[in-house]
Amino acid sequence: MERSNPDLLKAFATVLRRRRREAGLSQEELAFRCDLSMSYISLLETQNRQPTLTALHTIAGQLDISASELLAEVERLLGSG
């Protein structure tokens, strides 16, 4: 099984960036609120890293959505691509 899925990474990065900007947060502020590094958030948004489940859950919470809602947006974007 292939461990990397470029389309999935791109969709996640797109949704994360859009949601972060809609929340009015910089990468630095989101990272601080999630107790993550700014470079990690940047790597997620540039399709260079995949989030852990813990990071996904924490990031979604700081964006005021559930992890399942965040992933549903990613799936919708994948379906339209």
Side-chain angles (χ1 to χ4, degrees):
M1 173 175 29
E2 188 175 338
R3 295 177 53 99
S4 180
N5 182 331
D7 293 335
L8 178 60
L9 290 175
K10 182 178 180 180
F12 180 78
T14 299
V15 171
L16 174 59
R17 185 179 309 108
R18 181 177 51 76
R19 280 294 196 149
R20 176 182 57 77
R21 288 178 176 167
E22 287 174 356
L25 299 173
S26 66
Q27 288 181 345
E28 184 176 22
E29 181 62 24
L30 179 59
F32 176 78
R33 290 180 181 199
C34 295
D35 194 27
L36 298 167
S37 71
M38 188 183 82
S39 63
Y40 182 73
I41 299 297
S42 176
L43 288 168
L44 293 174
E45 289 191 5
T46 57
Q47 307 167 45
N48 291 302
R49 286 291 299 270
Q50 296 182 57
T52 65
L53 288 174
T54 301
L56 178 70
H57 183 263
T58 302
I59 290 167
Q62 290 303 316
L63 296 174
D64 292 323
I65 60 173
S66 69
S68 61
E69 289 173 301
L70 184 63
L71 289 175
E73 287 187 34
V74 171
E75 288 184 326
R76 280 193 293 276
L77 190 57
L78 276 173
S80 68

